[in-house]
């Protein structure tokens, strides 16, 4: 979008938003009070506004919320700098972009604030561009498909330019369309001028200013871009020869396709302009801070060779070589599907092109705003934990069961679709016509409307489909024009579809998000809506182009028939109806083909996805796997781990899908996991008083029931209380009611409880030892039911745990405790196995105590252990808790019966058992 905002309404909106609380969502009465105050103030000044329109504008903007980003960081070699830099340099590019987002794009204020925070979070992990000497940083930002990653990295680029990065290279996919679309977004948000006509802002006349540069009172800032937004505007040999910018005195931005030859042109150009020889005679670039932003970082950037010692693939090598040419460089990858990135070997280092693109410095996860129409809302999400409710799917999916006769799912490049379009596709086209008409009836007349038809990867077949769809659309237009012949029958068909499908669907949405419409309102807009629709093929051979920008004033209505070009990165503006039959075998490809994800303000209820039941099942499975991955990232962040400690696994498919392309996951390995032979332990605790009190009362209740069931064994004052021969029901009930922190994804008490119940049904886990672990040297005695035990202390991993509202430790268990419940023979065998393992790995001295892996292998299938720790938080003078934290560890034997879930794990996970990190002998 590049329009000048309605200045009186924009000013009133800013004033109202300034009255509202900035740190939370305002209440409805606060919104109304602020609207009344500003409306009255402007009225006294003689400025009239539509109060209801102002109120609706504010209500829509403040209804959206977004959580903060979370991430893993490695401070090695990094010098904190951003807080000080906030005061010692101007942030003009960012302020201009922020105002553009608020006044022109009209993003909700909380979303803009979160973008400000998240881009600060990323920028702070890069080095200060004013820092002298050599430095480099590599990171990864994980978002969701079509969720606003481009807007986030434009914000990062704006702040980087303000901070002092002087060359910003954006790697924008592998197709011209996506590169051109990305360049246009950067022209509007960062550069402020049309690169089709000028290369540098100080040459630009007012008529060529766009986006942020065209706003009233917008600052004109010195910035340049040798690339432009035309289809041929990439950095080729000709561009390199004709670009003569001095580098270093102002920011230069390049938007380049990920092709090794183009990256080579960029590298050679920079060396020619700014290169010097180092002590080895190699041309390098000194004192010119480089920022590489790699959009869709899992695509083309990954080294797919089998051997780390072999020469990397060409594009991967070109990115690494460009990065390593600079003595001051930062690399940030952006992706919604990070599966391939997590399988990069963090130790890969090539003699010529240097280290691989593993994000060793940081990994950040960006939550989506509440108004994002993502996989969880489209397909639903079932969670395996009673703590959280399932997310039901929105009623937007329609099943296709009649397309096989028209175009078989498995077809070749020379296939010809049958003459008659399937009824499901004809209905999808009619749904699109109705959606366009309904949007017009809601006042959305000058907006983009798009329909996606994605049924084949072959361009020749796509062209045939385009011709068929175009013929069908023309028949519909002619029929609607005919008031006496075919027209009434077609209107009756459309009315039946409207009343059977659209009316009940809209009824399931809140009325403030989906305004109900009568058939008469929609019918009156049908002819104007359908006349505007064009049918275009979008592939490498077609000359059609999706000119959303050229049609920005009146809106483009288009049915886009395509394949590969529509499967990654490219945004279909105003997409409402998708007809999607293209099967893919990998999680990331399926998610990326989901162009229907994104933002649909005031018309979510009009969106439809026509697809097969099998594809819907695949998306349900992919949604669950990616949600689990995102939760694990958040837990690792809460535990304070670094990216190189980031042991990660991705759940495999039950439908035969792969996690990512096989050549991208050669560094990954398939593993089978269950709680069999595992030792899950709590390391993240919720500090909310209610949760702390709940878990402590739960513990006291368990102790009382244990006393009623079996005879306890009590060690000296303050020490352990032990119960042997405990039935599994008592343990299962305790775990099912235990309240954990939302970040603790790897220890899910209710899943553990269900596992115990399943094992007990087949005669396993029937004989439990339960130990309330106390410290005889503790200064903090704690009364628990009829016992007094010494609370144990565990140090926090993070000093700011109070602000986070959670207490995170490295381990809850003292390793010798896990030996409880073993007889002398079992203990001896565990120690011997640990000793032999130490010898085979050539460790200088055998371990003092066997680790949990060897202990659990000695437990008999019916034998298990629950250790419970009352914890006094270290440095707890600063927090006031009425009860100790309750931590636990469960030591499971190996099961003969329990099925395992298959995952694909990265090298870090395979090297380091998550439950054996930094074992510490705290008592």
């Amino acid at each position: 979008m590049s329009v000048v905002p309605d200045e009186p309404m924009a000013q009133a909106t800013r004033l109202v938003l300034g009255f509202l609380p900035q740190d939370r969502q305002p209440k409805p009465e606060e919104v109304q009070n602020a609207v009344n105050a500003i409306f009255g103030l402007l009225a006294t000044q003689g400025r009239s506004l539509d109060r209801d329109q102002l109120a609706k504008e504010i209500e829509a903007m403040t209804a959206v919320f977004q959580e903060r980003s979370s991430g893993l960081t490695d401070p090695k070699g990094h010098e904190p700098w951003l807080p000080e830099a906030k005061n010692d340099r101007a942030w003009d590019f960012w302020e201009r972009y922020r105002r553009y987002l608020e006044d022109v794009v009209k993003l909700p204020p909380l979303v803009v604030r979160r973008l400000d925070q998240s881009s600060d979070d990323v920028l702070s992990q890069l080095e200060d561009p004013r820092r002298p000497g050599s430095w480099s940083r590599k990171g990864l930002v994980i978002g969701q498909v079509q969720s606003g990653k481009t807007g986030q990295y434009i914000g990062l680029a704006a702040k980087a330019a303000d901070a002092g990065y002087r060359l910003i290279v954006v790697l924008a996919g592998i197709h011209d369309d996506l590169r051109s679309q990305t360049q246009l977004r950067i022209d509007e948000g960062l550069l402020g001028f049309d690169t089709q006509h000028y290369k540098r802002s100080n040459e630009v006349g007012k008529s060529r200013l766009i986006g942020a540069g065209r706003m009233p009172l917008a600052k004109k800032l010195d910035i340049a871009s040798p690339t432009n937004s035309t289809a041929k505007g990439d950095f080729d040999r000709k561009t390199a020869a004709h670009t003569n910018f001095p580098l270093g005195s102002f920011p230069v931005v390049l938007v380049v396709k990920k092709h090794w030859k183009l990256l080579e042109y960029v590298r050679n150009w920079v060396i020619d302009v700014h290169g010097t020889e180092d002590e080895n005679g190699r041309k390098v670039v000194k004192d010119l801070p480089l920022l590489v932003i790699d959009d869709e970082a899992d695509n083309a950037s990954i080294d797919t060779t089998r051997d780390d010692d072999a020469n990397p693939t060409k594009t991967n090598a070109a990115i690494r070589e460009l990065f390593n040419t600079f003595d001051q460089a930062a690399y940030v990858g952006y992706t919604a599907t990070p599966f391939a990135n997590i399988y990069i070997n963090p130790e890969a280092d090539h003699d010529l092109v240097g280290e691989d693109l593993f994000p060793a410095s940081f990994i950040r996860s960006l939550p989506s705003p509440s108004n994002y129409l993502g996989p969880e809302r489209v397909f639903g999400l079932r969670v395996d934990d009673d703590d959280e409710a399932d997310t039901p799917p929105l009623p937007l999916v329609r099943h296709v069961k009649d397309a096989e006769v028209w175009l078989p799912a498995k077809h070749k490049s020379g296939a010809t679709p049958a003459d008659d379009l399937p009824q499901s596709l004809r209905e999808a086209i009619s749904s699109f016509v109705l959606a366009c008409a309904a949007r017009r009836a809601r006042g959305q007349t000058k907006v983009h409307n798009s329909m996606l038809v994605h049924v084949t990867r072959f361009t020749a077949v796509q062209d045939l489909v385009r011709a068929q769809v175009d013929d069908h659309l023309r028949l519909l237009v002619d029929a609607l024009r005919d008031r006496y012949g075919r027209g009434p029958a077609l209107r009756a068909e459309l009315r039946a579809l409207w009343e059977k499908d659209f009316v009940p669907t809209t009824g399931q949405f809140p009325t403030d998000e989906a305004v109900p419409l009568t058939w008469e309102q929609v019918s009156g807009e049908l002819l104007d809506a359908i006349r505007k629709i064009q049918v275009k093929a979008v592939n490498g051979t077609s000359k059609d182009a999706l000119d959303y920008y050229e049609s920005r004033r009146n809106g483009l209505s288009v049915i886009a028939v395509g394949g590969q070009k529509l499967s990654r990165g490219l945004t279909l503006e105003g997409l409402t109806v998708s007809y999607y039959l293209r099967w893919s075998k990998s999680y990331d490809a399926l998610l990326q083909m989901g162009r229907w994800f994104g933002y649909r303000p005031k018309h979510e209820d009009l969106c439809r996805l026509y697809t097969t039941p099998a594809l819907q099942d695949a998306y349900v499975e992919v949604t669950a796997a990616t949600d689990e991955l995102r939760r694990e990232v958040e837990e690792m962040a809460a535990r304070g781990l670094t990216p190189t400690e980031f042991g990660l696994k991705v759940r495999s498919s039950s439908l035969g899908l792969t996690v990512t392309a096989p050549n991208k996951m050669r560094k990954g390995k398939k593993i089978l996991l269950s709680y069999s032979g595992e030792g899950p332990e709590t390391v993240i605790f919720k500090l909310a008083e209610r949760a702390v009190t709940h878990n402590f009362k739960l513990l006291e209740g368990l102790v009382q029931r244990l006393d009623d069931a079996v005879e306890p064994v009590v060690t000296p004052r303050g020490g352990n209380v032990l119960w042997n021969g405990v039935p599994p029901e008592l343990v299962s009930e305790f775990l099912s009611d235990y309240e954990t922190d939302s970040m603790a994804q790897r220890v899910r008490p209710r899943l553990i409880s269900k596992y115990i119940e399943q094992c007990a049904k087949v005669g396993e886990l029937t004989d439990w030892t339960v130990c309330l672990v106390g410290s005889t040297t503790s200064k903090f005695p704690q009364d628990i039911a009829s016992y007094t035990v010494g609370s144990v202390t565990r140090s926090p991993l993070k000093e700011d745990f109070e602000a986070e509202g959670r207490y995170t430790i490295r381990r809850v268990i003292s390793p010798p405790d896990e030996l409880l419940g073993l007889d002398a023979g079992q203990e001896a065998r565990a120690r011997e196995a640990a000793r032999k393992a130490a010898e085979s790995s050539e460790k200088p001295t055998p371990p003092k105590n066997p680790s949990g892996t060897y202990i659990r292998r000695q437990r008999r299938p019916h034998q298990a252990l629950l250790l419970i720790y009352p914890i006094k938080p270290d440095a707890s003078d600063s927090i006031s808790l009425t009860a100790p934290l309750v931590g636990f560890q469960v030591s499971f034997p190996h099961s003969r019966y329990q099925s395992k879930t298959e995952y694909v794990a990265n090298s870090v996970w395979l090297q380091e058992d998550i439950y054996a990190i930094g074992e510490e002998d705290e008592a």
Side-chain angles (χ1 to χ4, degrees):
M1 185 185 297
S2 183
V3 297
V4 179
D6 174 4
E7 188 56 29
M9 183 61 73
Q11 184 185 33
T13 302
R14 282 199 300 274
L15 289 170
V16 173
L17 293 174
F19 260 66
L20 296 173
Q22 304 299 304
D23 57 344
R24 61 174 172 82
Q25 273 189 285
K27 299 173 183 176
E29 58 269 23
E30 291 175 324
V31 170
Q32 291 304 320
N33 289 339
V35 168
N36 290 336
I38 297 304
F39 180 77
L41 175 66
L42 294 178
T44 61
Q45 297 174 0
R47 288 185 282 177
S48 61
L49 283 173
D50 185 329
R51 186 209 169 281
D52 291 340
Q53 183 186 347
L54 176 62
K56 286 180 180 179
E57 190 98 15
I58 300 297
E59 286 167 0
M61 295 177 79
T62 55
V64 179
F65 66 91
Q66 183 177 15
E67 297 176 353
R68 286 206 67 162
S69 65
S70 59
L72 298 80
T73 62
D74 188 346
K76 183 179 178 183
H78 177 58
E79 295 182 5
W81 63 281
L82 189 55
E84 189 66 29
K86 287 289 185 180
N87 296 318
D88 69 12
R89 54 199 89 174
W91 297 90
D92 290 335
F93 282 106
W94 163 251
E95 286 302 321
R96 190 174 73 172
Y97 180 56
R98 179 191 60 76
R99 192 177 146 217
Y100 170 70
L101 294 178
E102 290 178 344
D103 292 356
V104 180
V105 182
K106 294 192 178 298
L107 285 186
L110 187 57
V111 172
V112 177
R113 283 203 296 279
R114 286 290 183 253
L115 192 152
D116 186 11
Q117 290 168 341
S118 63
S119 54
D120 267 1
D121 289 339
V122 176
L123 183 68
S124 67
Q125 290 303 313
L126 310 182
E127 287 311 306
D128 183 355
R130 295 183 182 178
R131 177 182 166 183
S134 298
W135 44 260
S136 69
R137 298 283 284 176
K138 292 194 188 87
L140 179 70
V141 178
I142 304 170
Q144 291 213 50
V145 177
Q146 302 277 95
S147 66
K149 295 184 300 298
T150 306
Q152 209 272 353
Y153 70 64
I154 292 174
L156 174 65
K159 290 181 176 179
D162 286 325
Y165 280 89
R166 285 297 169 255
L167 182 62
I168 300 172
V169 179
V170 179
L171 307 179
I174 59 174
H175 295 296
D176 287 326
D177 288 19
L178 177 55
R179 193 215 67 83
S180 177
Q181 188 179 74
T182 303
Q183 176 87 53
L184 180 58
R185 291 281 304 276
I186 287 174
D187 288 1
E188 292 182 316
L190 175 59
L191 300 174
F193 65 90
D194 190 344
T195 52
Q196 294 190 22
H197 301 280
Y198 294 97
K199 291 185 176 181
R200 186 174 173 184
S201 58
N202 64 3
E203 305 167 350
V204 179
K206 188 174 182 179
S207 63
R208 298 302 182 185
L209 295 174
I210 62 173
R214 194 172 178 80
M215 294 185 301
L217 306 177
K219 279 191 176 182
K220 191 171 183 180
L221 305 171
D222 196 5
I223 191 168
S225 176
T227 56
N228 67 66
S229 60
T230 65
K232 302 296 183 182
D234 213 331
F235 199 90
D236 55 17
R237 188 195 299 271
K238 183 179 178 182
T239 305
H242 289 84
T243 300
N244 56 0
F245 296 135
L247 292 175
S249 57
F250 54 87
V252 175
V253 181
L254 284 74
V255 184
V256 185
K257 276 201 312 295
K258 280 191 264 190
H259 188 283
W260 66 272
K261 197 67 181 174
L262 297 171
L263 292 168
E264 199 173 84
Y265 290 145
V266 173
R267 180 173 169 272
N268 290 337
W269 170 69
V270 178
I271 286 175
D272 289 343
V273 176
H274 209 86
T276 59
E277 281 194 6
D278 64 9
E279 57 274 12
N280 300 317
R282 177 174 170 265
K283 280 289 189 79
V284 296
V285 177
K286 293 181 177 292
D287 301 321
L288 183 71
L290 166 73
L291 171 60
V292 176
I293 294 175
D294 188 353
D295 194 12
E296 307 293 344
D298 62 312
N299 187 32
S301 303
I302 302 296
D303 177 16
T304 54
T305 55
R306 285 185 178 274
D307 187 355
D308 290 327
D309 294 327
N311 289 330
T313 47
K314 284 187 172 182
T315 299
N316 171 269
I319 297 171
R320 290 158 70 174
E321 196 167 13
L322 173 66
F323 183 83
N324 291 311
T325 296
F326 290 73
D327 71 338
Q328 299 174 338
Y331 167 92
V332 184
Y334 280 78
T335 184
T337 48
F339 308 114
N341 302 83
I342 67 168
Y343 297 127
I344 297 173
N345 183 354
E347 297 178 356
D349 194 352
H350 191 271
D351 291 340
L352 294 178
V353 298
E355 296 177 348
D356 207 344
L357 301 175
F358 182 82
S361 303
F362 62 92
I363 299 174
R364 294 208 70 82
S365 175
L366 298 177
S368 301
S370 57
N371 62 337
Y372 171 63
L373 186 64
E376 294 86 353
R377 296 182 67 208
V378 175
F379 299 106
L381 178 65
R382 291 190 60 198
V383 291
D384 298 326
D385 195 333
D386 297 337
D387 273 345
E388 296 183 49
D390 293 345
T391 303
L394 291 172
L396 304 178
V397 178
R398 304 291 179 266
H399 286 161
V400 174
K401 299 178 180 178
D402 60 354
E404 192 68 18
V405 174
W406 171 63
L407 184 65
K410 293 183 178 179
H411 59 268
K412 296 183 178 180
S413 59
T416 301
D419 291 339
D420 293 330
L421 290 180
Q423 173 58 30
S424 58
L425 180 50
R426 294 199 298 271
E427 181 184 302
I429 295 169
S430 294
S431 293
F432 180 57
V433 173
L434 287 170
C436 292
R439 292 193 74 189
R440 293 179 68 87
R442 287 178 180 170
Q444 300 172 337
T445 55
K446 297 184 178 182
V447 295
H448 298 311
N449 293 290
S450 299
M451 176 179 175
L452 165 68
V453 178
H454 190 162
V455 296
T456 177
R457 66 188 177 92
F458 301 114
T459 56
V461 183
Q462 290 166 21
D463 291 336
L464 294 173
V465 172
R466 190 212 72 82
Q468 284 189 324
V469 170
D470 190 58
D471 286 344
H472 179 72
L473 183 70
R474 290 177 187 277
L475 286 174
L476 294 182
V477 174
D478 290 343
L480 279 176
R481 283 173 173 161
D482 185 352
R483 298 174 60 185
Y484 303 105
R486 173 83 177 98
L490 176 57
R491 284 184 179 270
E493 287 177 20
L494 291 171
R495 179 171 188 168
L497 178 59
W498 175 260
E499 293 177 346
K500 178 192 76 171
D501 187 332
F502 283 81
V503 171
T505 300
T506 296
Q508 297 184 53
F509 285 75
T511 54
D512 59 338
E513 295 177 11
V515 179
L517 297 168
T518 65
W519 168 248
E520 287 70 26
Q521 289 173 299
V522 175
S523 178
E525 300 288 349
L526 281 173
L527 195 55
D528 286 344
I530 199 170
R531 279 173 172 160
K532 200 173 176 181
I533 299 172
Q534 306 171 55
V535 183
K536 297 192 174 190
V538 183
N539 55 50
T541 60
S542 74
K543 293 182 179 179
D544 291 346
L546 298 178
D547 293 325
Y548 292 115
Y549 182 72
E550 297 300 325
S551 306
R552 64 192 181 280
R553 298 196 182 280
N554 296 308
L556 176 70
S557 291
V558 63
I559 299 176
V561 181
Q564 189 63 26
K565 274 199 173 185
L566 297 177
S567 69
R568 184 182 277 270
L570 195 68
T571 298
L572 294 173
E573 303 284 353
L575 179 63
T576 49
V577 178
S578 299
Y579 190 85
Y580 176 77
L581 305 180
R582 172 90 176 276
W583 183 264
S584 177
K585 293 183 178 179
S586 68
Y587 287 0
D588 46 11
L590 274 172
L591 277 176
Q592 292 291 351
M593 288 181 188
R595 297 292 94 195
W596 49 84
F597 304 130
Y599 300 95
R600 308 288 183 262
K602 303 295 184 184
H603 63 283
E604 276 187 353
D605 62 310
L606 304 178
C607 294
R608 297 291 182 271
L609 169 58
Y610 286 81
T611 193
T612 64
L615 272 165
Q616 183 176 8
D617 290 343
Y619 273 102
V620 168
E621 190 172 79
V622 173
T623 301
T626 52
D627 180 73
E628 184 176 315
L629 169 64
R630 194 169 289 108
R631 289 167 182 261
E632 291 214 342
V633 173
E634 291 170 354
E635 179 180 349
M636 292 300 212
R639 296 184 63 185
L641 299 182
T642 68
T644 49
E645 296 171 329
F646 185 40
L648 192 68
K649 62 189 191 305
V650 182
R651 185 190 301 184
S652 293
S653 167
S654 63
L655 302 175
L657 304 171
T658 61
V659 175
T660 184
N663 61 354
K664 292 182 182 179
M665 51 186 286
R666 286 174 179 151
K667 310 300 190 294
K669 183 177 179 181
K670 288 186 177 180
I671 55 172
L672 294 172
L673 290 180
S674 78
Y675 284 113
S676 172
E678 293 294 331
E681 61 179 300
T682 49
V683 293
I684 303 177
F685 302 90
K686 187 185 291 186
L687 287 178
E689 185 65 39
R690 184 192 57 78
V692 173
T693 303
H694 169 82
N695 287 340
F696 184 69
K697 287 182 177 178
L698 187 67
L699 171 58
E700 289 194 306
L702 173 64
V703 169
Q704 291 167 355
R705 286 193 295 276
L706 288 169
D707 278 348
D708 292 341
V710 297
E711 189 69 28
V713 178
V714 184
T715 56
R717 180 172 174 78
N720 300 346
V721 184
L722 192 74
W723 295 267
N724 290 307
V726 175
E729 296 80 19
L730 292 183
V731 177
S732 176
E733 288 170 8
F734 168 75
L735 292 171
S736 68
D737 289 337
Y738 181 94
E739 185 169 339
T740 187
D741 188 87
S742 61
M743 288 295 182
Q745 295 303 317
R746 296 200 173 197
V747 179
R748 313 281 284 279
R750 282 158 187 73
L751 294 186
I752 299 172
S753 174
K754 290 176 183 176
Y755 175 78
I756 294 170
E757 292 169 4
Q758 292 300 316
C759 286
K761 290 177 182 177
V762 292
E764 295 186 334
L765 304 184
T766 55
D767 181 12
W768 282 79
T769 297
V770 177
C771 183
L772 178 58
V773 183
S775 169
T776 56
T777 60
S778 174
K779 298 178 182 178
F780 308 103
Q782 179 66 50
D783 292 331
I784 302 175
S786 56
Y787 303 98
T788 301
V789 298
S791 297
V792 301
T793 57
R794 295 292 184 263
S795 301
L797 287 178
K798 297 182 177 182
E799 293 181 359
D800 61 343
F801 59 86
E802 286 181 82
E804 285 193 353
R806 63 178 59 90
Y807 193 78
T808 306
I809 61 177
R810 187 164 292 282
R811 300 214 71 191
V812 71
I813 186 176
S814 295
D817 294 345
E818 200 170 353
L819 290 165
L820 290 169
L822 299 186
D823 60 33
Q826 288 174 309
E827 183 174 335
R829 288 192 292 275
R831 292 186 184 280
E832 179 63 13
R835 185 189 63 78
K836 287 183 177 179
E839 287 179 354
S840 66
S841 62
E842 299 181 350
K843 289 184 177 178
T845 56
K848 180 181 175 183
N849 293 295
S851 71
T853 302
Y854 303 105
I855 295 172
R856 295 189 287 274
R857 196 167 291 282
Q858 296 306 318
R859 293 194 182 280
R860 301 178 186 97
H862 66 280
Q863 210 181 17
L865 170 69
L866 171 64
L867 297 165
I868 304 176
Y869 296 82
I871 301 169
K872 174 75 170 175
D874 201 11
S876 60
D877 292 342
S878 60
I879 59 173
S880 176
L881 296 176
T882 58
L885 302 175
V886 176
F888 68 80
Q889 191 256 10
V890 188
S891 182
F892 283 115
H894 286 264
S895 170
R896 296 193 183 103
Y897 300 102
Q898 285 303 306
S899 61
K900 297 185 176 184
T901 303
E902 184 178 88
Y903 288 81
V904 180
N906 68 359
S907 58
V908 178
W909 195 98
L910 295 167
Q911 291 166 7
E912 193 83 67
D913 185 319
I914 191 63
Y915 299 115
I917 295 173
E919 295 192 355
E920 54 191 7
D921 288 297
E922 293 187 274

